[in-house]
Amino acid sequence: MTRLHTLFIIGGLVLSGVVARAQTSMTVPVGAVRITLPAGPSSTMMGIPIKATSVLNVPVASFTANTLNFAGNPIASSNLTNPAAPFFARFLTGNHAGRAMLVTANTSNSVTLDTKDATSITLAFNTSGFSVVAGDRVEIVPGDTLATLFGTGGNLKIVGGLNNFAADTVSFWNGVRFVAYFYNTSLGYWISQDGGGNGNNTLITPDIGFAVTRKIGRPSMQLTFLGTVPNHRSGIRHIGSSSKVIVQPLPVPVPLSYFAFAAQGGMSTGSTFTADSVSLWNGGRWVSYYRNSSGQWLTPDRIGDQGSLLVAPGTAVSILRRTSKTGGASILGELTPY
Amino acid sequence: MYKYLFLSFLPAAAFAQSQWLDLSSDSSFSNPANWSPSVVPASNSNLLIGVSGTLGFDSGGSYTASSITVSPGVSSIFAPSGPESLILGSGGITLGSGSALSFQLPVQTSASSAWSIGAASVTFSNLFEIRPGTVSLNISNGGSINFEGPSSPAWTGTLAITGSGSFSITAIGFDSNNVDNVTINGSPAMLDGDTLIAAIPEPGTFASLAGLAALVVGVCSRRKKATPQDSI
């Protein structure tokens, strides 16, 4: 199986930003996105800005609450559930379009998925008023873990160490704080700052944002992601009453207004204390933006409407939804701008 | 009831003090065993750094300290685990004689404060933002301040440096966004290479310039008088 091709190139290469073959394409939309990590000490909020190439793209024949069945026997692999090489299923059309879930079991003609989407609440495929229908298209894509994306041993892409204060770290938002993982050069595997043993198989969920912290003395570094350009609506579960860190998932810059998620779910407007908000990392802190009742995007850091502020591919974005959401409202989705 | 009203008006110095001793040698801020008293400092504590080495911030977010004091002779490095940052309140920073403090995590001020650097050394290797208010920083002979991190466009406050004797201030990462909000001994600051200096000369420099001017005037005057003789 081919995982997302990720190249880490240290030093100054010529291209920056987006390299995509086309913004409108009826062919297989493939491309590359490059992200620069500044020299240390620095923290970069990022995510995987492009999709792995799918191994299967089929319509749903039938379904249950958490299982999708396909016609024939299209799944050649007997096991899509290896923790070291996980797979995700993503809806490309229908009510659940854009939604990606971990494959927890499979047969040759079905996949069972984690319908919690890394939240505490399931969203079943047969949810009344928001059901999957036969014919909705689904793709199966290889996922990533800390070990597959950032390497291990001699293939380690960032710098390991004996503790999380010396090693470069990759941190994931757990709803309350960022939890740092680092490659322990003594133990020979990735481990959380909270311990817990071998963390090589820690999932890097599609659409999620994370922090890469480079410690002092590390040079600037470029990460190049090769893969497939999304050509479907985004769809990220966010059950509200909390913040979630996601990634700007498209290979082109999008304006801040993209994150109103007008196509699905939607972000509320109001004041700085009542509106849902979108926060961007400035290198040392999150700068928050919210929409007022006139639809203007405002921030304490700048004057005027910031709705046209461009957010680069692969940028992590913190989304605060102030109230809890269920059903279809718990999915945030927006159409591609191309 | 009156007792509680009184407590609400206590100054910053009334916040609890926590002394960093790193007794477990794991450098972890979140390990109570590394502090005296042995509890993780609450937000807005006064931090006293009593031993040299790394103080590793691992809260997974920002930590707000009311003040930071480094004991004489201690060299301390504030290092992040991940994207942690430090917010510094009204208590400011006080460095003991011969001490050194290095911030490898981003630092942001949240209130006006007075910093006493003296003859010690402080280095900001990551993002540094003064917002809002004024940081009044005093430095003395032999002291040094190094701003090595990137410039921040989000400064809304002022850095007012006062100093005497021979001290150095480097600001490798600064651009006009930062420099425009810095004064040295009351004069606007400017960058001379990577060194931050006062744009208007200090009194001592004025005296030197006056002496130089007098010398030039004297030389010119002698030349004027000499001219007739030269023509003979």
Side-chain angles (χ1 to χ4, degrees):
Chain A
M1 296 296 177
T2 305
R3 305 238 133 232
L4 179 66
H5 296 286
T6 309
L7 306 176
F8 293 75
I9 305 169
I10 299 174
L13 291 184
V14 285
L15 296 176
S16 62
V18 181
V19 183
R21 284 191 183 171
Q23 291 194 9
T24 303
S25 174
M26 296 304 291
T27 60
V28 177
V30 295
V33 175
R34 186 165 289 163
I35 295 174
T36 299
L37 304 181
S42 68
S43 288
T44 303
M45 295 290 175
M46 57 164 288
I48 299 173
I50 201 164
K51 298 196 305 178
T53 302
S54 65
V55 296
L56 184 67
N57 183 324
V58 289
V60 174
S62 62
F63 57 90
T64 65
N66 64 348
T67 298
L68 304 175
N69 303 304
F70 311 118
N73 294 291
I75 301 175
S77 171
S78 61
N79 187 2
L80 300 178
T81 58
N82 179 356
F87 283 82
F88 288 82
R90 186 191 295 272
F91 282 96
L92 301 176
T93 61
N95 282 332
H96 296 250
R99 185 182 176 197
M101 291 150 283
L102 180 69
V103 177
T104 58
N106 75 282
T107 67
S108 62
N109 64 357
S110 72
V111 288
T112 300
L113 307 179
D114 176 4
T115 54
K116 285 187 175 179
D117 312 57
T119 71
S120 59
I121 301 173
T122 58
L123 177 57
F125 300 141
N126 53 5
T127 297
S128 176
F130 198 73
S131 177
V132 170
V133 298
D136 284 352
R137 268 202 110 71
V138 171
E139 66 176 1
I140 308 292
V141 294
D144 272 297
T145 65
L146 280 173
T148 64
L149 192 64
F150 291 99
T152 57
N155 193 35
L156 192 64
K157 306 300 190 286
I158 56 178
V159 180
L162 296 178
N163 63 50
N164 48 319
F165 306 121
D168 292 347
T169 57
V170 179
S171 303
F172 300 97
W173 181 250
N174 72 354
V176 178
R177 66 183 177 98
F178 277 95
V179 178
Y181 288 76
F182 67 103
Y183 187 80
N184 188 310
T185 49
S186 173
L187 298 172
Y189 53 72
W190 288 85
I191 189 168
S192 162
Q193 68 176 98
D194 298 333
N198 190 327
N200 281 358
N201 296 338
T202 302
L203 278 176
I204 299 180
T205 311
D207 304 323
I208 209 73
F210 49 85
V212 178
T213 300
R214 305 273 289 160
K215 298 298 164 55
I216 194 164
R218 316 280 198 257
S220 175
M221 178 179 178
Q222 289 190 321
L223 285 67
T224 302
F225 296 86
L226 308 177
T228 306
V229 173
N231 56 355
H232 52 76
R233 194 185 74 189
S234 61
I236 300 157
R237 279 295 298 289
H238 193 326
I239 61 173
S241 297
S242 62
S243 291
K244 185 167 188 171
V245 181
I246 66 170
V247 63
Q248 196 280 68
L250 303 173
V252 294
V254 296
L256 194 61
S257 54
Y258 172 92
F259 296 98
F261 294 110
Q264 175 65 39
M267 298 279 279
S268 71
T269 61
S271 72
T272 186
F273 301 112
T274 61
D276 292 345
S277 67
V278 174
S279 297
L280 302 175
W281 181 252
N282 78 343
R285 63 187 171 86
W286 293 98
V287 178
S288 294
Y289 301 81
Y290 70 95
R291 277 188 310 154
N292 64 14
S293 56
S294 302
Q296 294 177 312
W297 286 88
L298 304 177
T299 176
D301 272 25
R302 294 193 182 93
I303 297 172
D305 186 4
Q306 305 297 312
S308 59
L309 178 71
L310 291 178
V311 181
T315 302
V317 180
S318 178
I319 304 290
L320 169 64
R321 301 185 86 182
R322 294 185 183 273
T323 58
S324 60
K325 306 290 181 183
T326 58
S330 72
I331 294 181
L332 290 172
E334 187 52 285
L335 305 175
T336 59
Y338 43 78
Chain B
M1 179 176 173
Y2 292 114
K3 180 169 62 179
Y4 298 120
L5 283 174
F6 170 74
L7 285 173
S8 68
F9 288 105
L10 282 175
F15 290 121
Q17 176 173 289
S18 295
Q19 184 175 9
W20 171 254
L21 297 173
D22 197 17
L23 294 177
S24 69
S25 300
D26 66 0
S27 303
S28 174
F29 183 99
S30 63
N31 185 348
N34 290 331
W35 295 96
S36 176
S38 40
V39 290
V40 177
S43 183
N44 284 311
S45 292
N46 296 305
L47 305 185
L48 172 60
I49 312 303
V51 294
S52 294
T54 296
L55 196 174
F57 285 74
D58 54 356
S59 66
S62 61
Y63 173 76
T64 301
S66 176
S67 72
I68 297 169
T69 302
V70 181
S71 299
V74 166
S75 294
S76 184
I77 297 169
F78 283 19
S81 171
E84 288 85 4
S85 62
L86 176 68
I87 300 173
L88 189 56
S90 59
I93 294 174
T94 302
L95 301 186
S97 174
S99 67
L101 180 56
S102 174
F103 292 98
Q104 293 181 8
L105 75 174
V107 177
Q108 175 196 333
T109 65
S110 61
S112 293
S113 58
W115 295 11
S116 177
I117 305 302
S121 166
V122 61
T123 299
F124 298 87
S125 300
N126 210 317
L127 200 71
F128 175 61
E129 293 181 341
I130 296 179
R131 53 190 311 274
T134 297
V135 170
S136 302
L137 186 154
N138 183 265
I139 187 170
S140 59
N141 192 44
S144 69
I145 311 168
N146 306 294
F147 297 104
E148 297 178 346
S151 177
S152 167
W155 278 39
T156 56
T158 302
L159 175 61
I161 300 171
T162 56
S164 59
S166 176
F167 56 86
S168 75
I169 310 169
T170 60
I172 296 169
F174 274 20
D175 61 17
S176 59
N177 288 321
N178 294 132
V179 176
D180 290 351
N181 292 297
V182 180
T183 63
I184 299 177
N185 287 329
S187 301
M190 60 177 285
L191 275 172
D192 179 10
D194 291 333
T195 302
L196 209 55
I197 61 172
I200 299 174
E202 296 172 31
T205 312
F206 269 129
S208 302
L209 288 174
L212 183 63
L215 188 64
V216 170
V217 169
V219 169
C220 290
S221 174
R222 285 176 64 87
R223 280 196 171 177
K224 270 190 176 179
K225 287 177 182 173
T227 301
Q229 291 176 356
D230 289 343
S231 63
I232 292 172

